[in-house]
Amino acid sequence: MSMRIPRALTIAGLDSGGGAGITADLKTFHALGVYGMVALTAVTAQNTLGVKAVQEIDPLVVENQINTVAEDIGVDAAKTGMLSSSQIMEAAARAVRRWGFQLVVDPVMYAKSGDPLIRPEAMETLRRVIIPISKIVTPNAPEASHLAGFRVETLDDAKRAAKFIAEELHPEIVIIKGGHLTGNESIDIVYFRDSGEYRELRAPRIDTKNTHGTGCSFSAAIAAGLAKGLSPWDAIKLAKEFITTAIKYSLPLGHGHGPVNPMAWLELRAYRADVIDELNKALRIIEDNADLIGNYIPEVQSNLGYALPAFYARDLNDVAAVPGRIIKYMGKAKPSGPPAFGVSSHVANYILTAMRHDPEVRSAMNIKYDDKVIETARKLGYVVSSYDRRQEPPEVKAREGASIPWGTEQAIKNAGRVPDVIYHLGDWGKEPEIIILGRNPTEVVSKLLAILRRINENRF
């Protein structure tokens, strides 16, 4: 029995800046595990600031592109984006009706810059020819205003517009996207024509100007979900999660509206797996040297942390460590379990603060304070720095979790760079400790072992 490969088609234009159109769609398809195909409708000379020129593709060529891939490779679901003329819409509609695949319509009217991407006379063709053959249509508030004939600004407006579009233009499902609506959250209104049911999809509103390609990627994600055999509602929920991630990790490129980042969906998963793998390698080295390292486990126990790459490391949940820490058991260092993300604020705060100064320094481990460790580290050529907790400003003492970032900043300032080793002598009953920093956990453990082995050599 052959493996089923889900197949999705984008019928849309080319954004030369790579942020929207077929480029965004193909990234989305492949990030979601779907084979992507293209029926190109137009070529735009476009960047983050605007659209400089448009060259439409011959409508018969558009139709032939759809027919050609459908008759050979097959199409499980498709989406439309930029359909700039009535002739292109008619051609695309003929092919869609011929093959009968599920269609998601992103009723593209304007680029993020505000430049028009549809001819005025094609507005009625969009309403009459394209939207009625769609399973799902995904207008934003300005597009919904054009389609419904009244201004859409609030959730109540969106609900009224969704029902109007569904009943008058006959798509099965209407999604009024919440990006342009008022409110602290981005709330999409989903209306099911056959049942008359409304549902809401909520996500935090992300403070960024880099939203170019949002609509393209969202509709492509829905099409990808349908191609994989998901129900429409499950495909829509997947797309909401997908686009929220793409916006959260959007790319600060160009001088205008930078692009969203569809590849974040894949990259985050890949990087998280890499982080866990690298931590496990380093923890095995610790277990192989348990006798030596066990002597330097502090009363609060040790931990070894490793952060995602700097672009993706936003908070404590983006740093992995050992949930129950590295304990001292019968005199030996022993990791209490497998590493996981978001389980240690202690070493994570050292790492995230260091990364603000040097994005390559993504790992750290704490051990108990010992003068010989500091002395030997300096002799081995490591950069050593410290901070004095007695100098903490009152506002730092009063703020939960602020001491370590403050102290790390002081140590970096004192060294003029991110040091290899940071230490403090404690205060108010806090146990003194040493922090070893490095680019990855294996490097951190290697630095620690180099120091401890030199100490042992000097004892004999």
Side-chain angles (χ1 to χ4, degrees), residues 267 271-272 275 306-314 318 355 359 362:
E267 290 175 353
Y271 284 134
R272 288 173 76 89
V275 163
Y306 191 30
L308 294 173
F311 183 77
Y312 289 113
R314 307 297 173 90
D318 299 322
M355 288 177 71
R362 295 166 45 199

Side-chain angles (χ1 to χ4, degrees), residues 89-108:
M89 290 182 188
E90 295 279 5
R94 282 194 300 271
V96 171
R97 286 194 297 266
R98 175 183 174 185
W99 297 101
F101 46 71
Q102 302 177 96
L103 183 67
V104 180
V105 170
D106 179 13
V108 174

Side-chain angles (χ1 to χ4, degrees), residues 270-280 306-308 320 341 362:
Y271 284 134
R272 288 173 76 89
D274 286 346
V275 163
I276 296 298
D277 284 347
E278 290 302 314
L279 271 174
N280 279 322
Y306 191 30
L308 294 173
F341 281 89
R362 295 166 45 199

Side-chain angles (χ1 to χ4, degrees), residues 152-186:
V152 177
E153 295 180 326
T154 67
L155 284 179
D156 286 340
D157 295 337
K159 289 180 178 179
R160 190 157 62 99
K163 184 175 183 180
F164 178 91
I165 294 167
E167 293 182 349
E168 296 297 320
L169 306 182
H170 308 297
E172 288 186 30
I173 300 170
V174 179
I175 306 171
I176 309 296
K177 295 176 292 190
H180 291 80
L181 299 177
T182 56
N184 295 326
E185 291 182 291
S186 174

Side-chain angles (χ1 to χ4, degrees), residues 370-382 384 450-456 458:
D370 188 308
D371 287 333
K372 291 180 180 177
V373 171
I374 301 301
E375 178 185 346
T376 304
R378 288 194 172 110
K379 287 181 178 178
L380 288 172
Y382 293 130
V384 178
I451 294 168
L452 300 186
R453 285 166 179 159
R454 178 63 65 87
I455 292 172
N456 270 8
N458 291 336

Side-chain angles (χ1 to χ4, degrees), residues 46-103:
Q46 186 176 172
N47 56 25
T48 65
L49 296 170
V51 180
K52 308 302 180 184
V54 175
Q55 176 65 61
E56 294 177 349
I57 303 299
D58 185 301
L60 288 178
V61 174
V62 174
E63 186 173 1
N64 280 327
Q65 289 178 84
I66 300 170
N67 289 335
T68 300
V69 296
E71 67 187 10
D72 176 36
I73 301 171
V75 178
D76 295 306
K79 64 146 289 186
T80 64
M82 180 184 177
L83 304 173
S84 54
S85 73
S86 293
Q87 292 82 3
I88 290 174
M89 290 182 188
E90 295 279 5
R94 282 194 300 271
V96 171
R97 286 194 297 266
R98 175 183 174 185
W99 297 101
F101 46 71
Q102 302 177 96
L103 183 67

Side-chain angles (χ1 to χ4, degrees), residues 66-344:
I66 300 170
N67 289 335
T68 300
V69 296
E71 67 187 10
D72 176 36
I73 301 171
V75 178
D76 295 306
K79 64 146 289 186
T80 64
M82 180 184 177
L83 304 173
S84 54
S85 73
S86 293
Q87 292 82 3
I88 290 174
M89 290 182 188
E90 295 279 5
R94 282 194 300 271
V96 171
R97 286 194 297 266
R98 175 183 174 185
W99 297 101
F101 46 71
Q102 302 177 96
L103 183 67
V104 180
V105 170
D106 179 13
V108 174
M109 298 177 187
Y110 300 95
K112 185 63 66 177
S113 60
D115 295 307
L117 295 174
I118 184 173
R119 296 184 183 186
E121 66 273 15
M123 287 289 192
E124 180 56 31
T125 311
L126 177 66
R127 293 165 54 91
R128 177 177 54 84
V129 174
I130 294 296
I131 293 178
I133 64 172
S134 67
K135 189 173 192 70
I136 302 171
V137 62
T138 65
N140 58 30
E143 292 161 350
S145 299
H146 280 285
L147 295 173
F150 56 83
R151 196 169 183 83
V152 177
E153 295 180 326
T154 67
L155 284 179
D156 286 340
D157 295 337
K159 289 180 178 179
R160 190 157 62 99
K163 184 175 183 180
F164 178 91
I165 294 167
E167 293 182 349
E168 296 297 320
L169 306 182
H170 308 297
E172 288 186 30
I173 300 170
V174 179
I175 306 171
I176 309 296
K177 295 176 292 190
H180 291 80
L181 299 177
T182 56
N184 295 326
E185 291 182 291
S186 174
I187 304 174
D188 299 340
I189 297 298
V190 185
Y191 181 76
F192 296 80
R193 183 196 65 204
D194 292 344
S195 65
E197 179 187 5
Y198 289 102
R199 295 182 188 177
E200 293 183 358
L201 283 174
R202 295 172 176 263
R205 195 174 291 279
I206 298 166
D207 184 18
T208 178
K209 69 172 185 174
N210 303 317
T211 54
H212 185 48
T214 304
C216 302
S217 297
F218 178 66
S219 55
I222 297 173
L226 294 176
K228 294 172 78 171
L230 298 182
S231 69
W233 177 238
D234 285 339
I236 293 166
K237 288 190 295 181
L238 171 67
K240 182 67 170 180
E241 184 182 356
F242 180 91
I243 197 59
T244 300
T245 300
I247 296 171
K248 180 179 179 181
Y249 298 103
S250 58
L251 303 170
L253 297 170
H255 297 89
H257 294 282
V260 297
N261 183 14
M263 298 311 294
W265 189 262
L266 271 185
E267 290 175 353
L268 274 170
R269 285 160 172 75
Y271 284 134
R272 288 173 76 89
D274 286 346
V275 163
I276 296 298
D277 284 347
E278 290 302 314
L279 271 174
N280 279 322
K281 290 177 186 176
L283 291 173
R284 284 195 291 270
I285 297 172
I286 289 175
E287 290 178 318
D288 290 342
N289 295 273
D291 289 334
L292 183 57
I293 296 174
N295 294 324
Y296 294 88
I297 302 296
E299 290 182 16
V300 296
Q301 302 173 344
S302 293
N303 215 329
L304 175 63
Y306 191 30
L308 294 173
F311 183 77
Y312 289 113
R314 307 297 173 90
D315 56 40
L316 301 177
N317 291 317
D318 299 322
V319 182
V322 180
R325 302 194 180 187
I326 301 168
I327 63 173
K328 186 175 182 178
Y329 179 72
M330 299 182 67
K332 299 182 179 182
K334 179 178 177 59
S336 58
F341 281 89
V343 298
S344 173

